[in-house]
Amino acid sequence: MKTHLTFETFRAHLLKKIKNLRSSRLVVAYSGGLDSSVLLDLVVSYVRESENISLSLIHVDHGLSPSSLEWGTHCKEIASLYNIKCSVVRVTALRKAKQSEEAWARNARYEVLERHVDANSVLLTAHHKNDQVETIIHHAMSGAGPHGLKGMREVRSFGQGSLMRPLLNFSAECIKDYALEKKLKWVEDSSNLSDKYLRNNIRKAGLPALEKIYPSALEGIYRVGLRQLEIVDGLNQIFDPKIKECVISEGIYSVRIFKFFPESLHGFLIKRLLERSDFPVPRESHVLAILGILNSTRKRSPVVRWGGVEVRLYRTQIYLMHKLPLSTCPSLGWTGLSVSMPWGELEVGKKAGREVLDPNKISHQSIKIGFRKGGEKFQPARSAFHHDLKKLFQQWNVPPWERAFIPIIKNGDEIVAVCGYGISRKYLAEEGEVGFSFSLRLSIYEQDIKVS
């Protein structure tokens, strides 16, 4: 059944979806094309009759078309007609080896958009019902299961805020009818006609062929997505209570979570764990590889990598994380204050305790913060001997990949403290005396770490 697109139907649908987000700012991803032009016109009307809601426009210039600068100018001109400022941002991200142009453009676009979405913002994109059906067909051709066949979620978390696709329930035909009725102006992207992109072929040839055979194919495939979404959400409701029991900390889970469910659901459980950390759903080959490391008997900690994501196993814990940088900083100066690093925070305090660093035994001129290189020896406060730092890390249950990011305070080549784990016996303050204490919070499981 065709749902006509009017401001009234759009407003009712948007209000229903947005009421639980409690956001005060809407951000429209505005390409200047037909779909986003309709979205912009509708959202402007919505904001004008709403209280305490602001509107921002972002146009992302990928630089792929000779006309891209003209499109940016067009977007600014249209925005000015609505008395709104449009920010035009040029993509600077480099395309990775073997990365398709489509994947690069999509990833680069969302990376730009994410920088403009804070905790009080909702990003609005103009994906519609035809886009959803194309996505489902594309995923079906790749052999996807429920996670792929559910298509795009109408609302999901995005960066610090949320992403919403308020036109997902409306067809491309409805959107074009609205644009013509309102006499809107838009730009045409010639790349949408190119045969080199699979999605274009699905749109131009695949879907029309299906509709010729079965006129209601669009609606039928769209409903397939809704049924698959019900399956995924139902599984998530079963998984989530047990997941909460097995959370160690952000992105870290006890492997006993898998004992609660039959093997047939382990792949779905992995996808849920990744989804909770806002990681992309992996391909089936990656899921099988993760299941493989869970059953691994190797002593070394195995890892599965894809698209900037790493899944690791250490002892009885599974770690979901962004790809780590190859190296840390060579060294940092230390003046006795807390230190902020790209991969976490070292909080330094002063207190009287049993295991604190005696400030009278160090000189800040000779003290540096370094990081593990291998072969270091350390004498913990309660040990009469020096030990290999590697073996101490094993005793402390520190995963191998974390060890390079743990700050080590040194006096020359001598280790004064392994921050968050121990003070050298030689530099220990007398019991009851005031000294430095160290608390380390690594953020490698919470964010993508960039080291310049």
Side-chain angles (χ1 to χ4, degrees):
M1 180 178 177
K2 182 176 177 180
T3 304
H4 292 284
L5 178 58
T6 64
F7 174 64
E8 287 71 28
T9 56
F10 174 82
R11 177 180 56 191
H13 188 69
L14 184 63
L15 281 170
K16 183 179 178 181
K17 296 295 180 180
I18 208 170
K19 64 181 180 180
N20 295 324
L21 298 180
R22 298 177 181 176
S23 300
S24 58
R25 178 171 172 260
L26 302 179
V27 181
V28 172
Y30 181 41
S31 69
L34 169 62
D35 304 331
S36 65
S37 297
V38 168
L39 176 63
L40 173 60
D41 189 75
L42 289 164
V43 173
V44 167
S45 298
Y46 173 80
V47 171
R48 282 175 177 169
E49 71 169 30
S50 304
E51 294 182 1
N52 303 318
I53 294 182
S54 63
L55 175 61
S56 300
L57 305 185
I58 308 294
H59 173 80
V60 180
D61 181 357
H62 303 88
L64 293 174
S65 169
S67 304
S68 64
L69 292 177
E70 296 176 18
W71 296 343
T73 300
H74 167 85
C75 289
K76 286 185 174 182
E77 290 174 349
I78 296 298
S80 67
L81 296 177
Y82 292 108
N83 294 317
I84 304 170
K85 180 182 177 182
C86 177
S87 298
V88 176
V89 183
R90 179 98 175 186
V91 168
T92 57
L94 298 176
R95 185 173 164 186
K96 298 177 182 177
K98 298 183 180 180
Q99 187 179 31
S100 71
E101 188 176 274
E102 284 180 292
W104 168 81
R106 181 176 60 253
N107 293 343
R109 177 168 63 254
Y110 279 110
E111 188 176 298
V112 169
L113 293 171
E114 188 173 330
R115 294 200 297 265
H116 291 79
V117 177
D118 58 26
N120 295 313
S121 300
V122 179
L123 174 69
L124 303 179
T125 65
H127 296 100
H128 49 65
K129 183 177 288 186
N130 295 58
D131 294 323
Q132 181 76 305
V133 170
E134 290 164 18
T135 298
I136 293 169
I137 293 173
H138 187 187
H139 290 170
M141 291 166 61
S142 303
H147 281 84
L149 297 180
K150 74 178 183 352
M152 299 173 281
R153 285 191 179 273
E154 193 167 5
V155 181
R156 69 175 179 87
S157 61
F158 182 73
Q160 298 180 56
S162 303
L163 183 151
M164 181 184 297
R165 301 177 172 103
L167 296 179
L168 208 57
N169 194 42
F170 300 96
S171 69
E173 181 184 0
C174 292
I175 289 171
K176 188 166 186 178
D177 287 346
Y178 180 95
L180 294 174
E181 181 184 340
K182 295 290 185 177
K183 296 183 173 57
L184 302 181
K185 295 181 180 179
W186 63 87
V187 296
E188 296 285 357
D189 185 350
S190 59
S191 69
N192 289 330
L193 304 176
S194 173
D195 291 336
K196 73 176 183 177
Y197 300 122
L198 177 58
R199 289 193 68 116
N200 286 356
N201 286 313
I202 294 173
R203 182 183 311 121
K204 291 166 54 185
L207 191 53
L210 288 172
E211 290 183 306
K212 186 175 181 180
I213 299 169
Y214 192 76
S216 58
L218 178 80
E219 289 296 329
I221 296 170
Y222 180 75
R223 289 197 298 273
V224 166
L226 296 178
R227 300 293 83 78
Q228 300 305 304
L229 178 61
E230 290 172 355
I231 292 172
V232 171
D233 285 347
L235 285 171
N236 290 347
Q237 289 174 19
I238 295 170
F239 291 146
D240 286 352
K242 293 299 183 183
I243 289 174
K244 288 180 180 178
E245 292 180 24
C246 296
V247 173
I248 307 300
S249 60
E250 182 76 29
I252 307 173
Y253 302 88
S254 168
V255 295
R256 69 185 177 88
I257 180 66
F258 292 91
K259 295 182 179 180
F260 291 117
F261 304 101
E263 286 188 17
S264 59
L265 293 182
H266 286 183
F268 293 107
L269 176 57
I270 287 170
K271 292 175 181 178
R272 178 54 177 166
L273 293 175
L274 288 162
E275 186 179 41
R276 284 170 62 97
S277 295
D278 287 330
F279 286 128
V281 174
R283 294 181 178 177
E284 200 62 30
S285 59
H286 299 130
V287 173
L288 292 174
I290 294 168
L291 292 173
I293 71 172
L294 289 170
N295 298 316
S296 174
T297 57
R298 293 183 298 168
K299 290 185 178 180
R300 289 178 176 243
S301 54
V303 57
V304 177
R305 297 185 178 94
W306 77 94
V309 179
E310 296 184 344
V311 176
R312 296 175 178 268
L313 183 71
Y314 184 64
R315 296 181 177 173
T316 61
Q317 295 175 1
I318 186 169
Y319 298 75
L320 315 179
M321 54 203 288
H322 293 275
K323 184 178 179 181
L324 292 176
L326 296 176
S327 61
T328 58
C329 303
S331 65
L332 302 168
W334 185 57
T335 60
L337 301 176
S338 297
V339 178
S340 179
M341 302 167 291
W343 51 88
E345 300 289 331
L346 173 59
E347 295 182 3
V348 180
K350 277 194 170 184
K351 68 176 185 179
R354 294 185 60 187
E355 195 168 321
V356 293
L357 174 62
D358 189 341
N360 298 315
K361 293 181 180 179
I362 60 172
S363 169
H364 291 302
Q365 286 75 21
S366 58
I367 292 291
K368 295 286 185 182
I369 295 178
F371 299 90
R372 185 169 179 260
K373 297 178 180 178
E376 295 91 347
K377 300 279 188 180
F378 178 60
Q379 183 182 16
R382 300 183 186 182
S383 175
F385 306 98
H386 282 79
H387 302 268
D388 289 334
L389 186 56
K390 177 181 178 180
K391 292 185 177 180
L392 289 171
F393 276 136
Q394 291 172 347
Q395 292 175 21
W396 296 331
N397 201 33
V398 180
W401 59 89
E402 278 189 18
R403 299 169 192 174
F405 297 92
I406 293 173
I408 299 173
I409 296 181
K410 289 186 173 184
N411 183 11
D413 292 329
E414 189 174 33
I415 295 179
V416 173
V418 180
C419 297
Y421 292 93
I423 308 294
S424 167
R425 183 168 182 167
K426 177 179 176 180
Y427 292 88
L428 199 64
E430 294 294 330
E431 187 169 344
E433 288 188 359
V434 175
F436 290 113
S437 64
F438 303 95
S439 175
L440 177 64
R441 189 185 70 81
L442 292 179
S443 56
I444 60 175
Y445 305 106
E446 303 168 26
Q447 60 186 30
D448 194 3
I449 307 301
K450 306 290 185 184
V451 178
S452 57

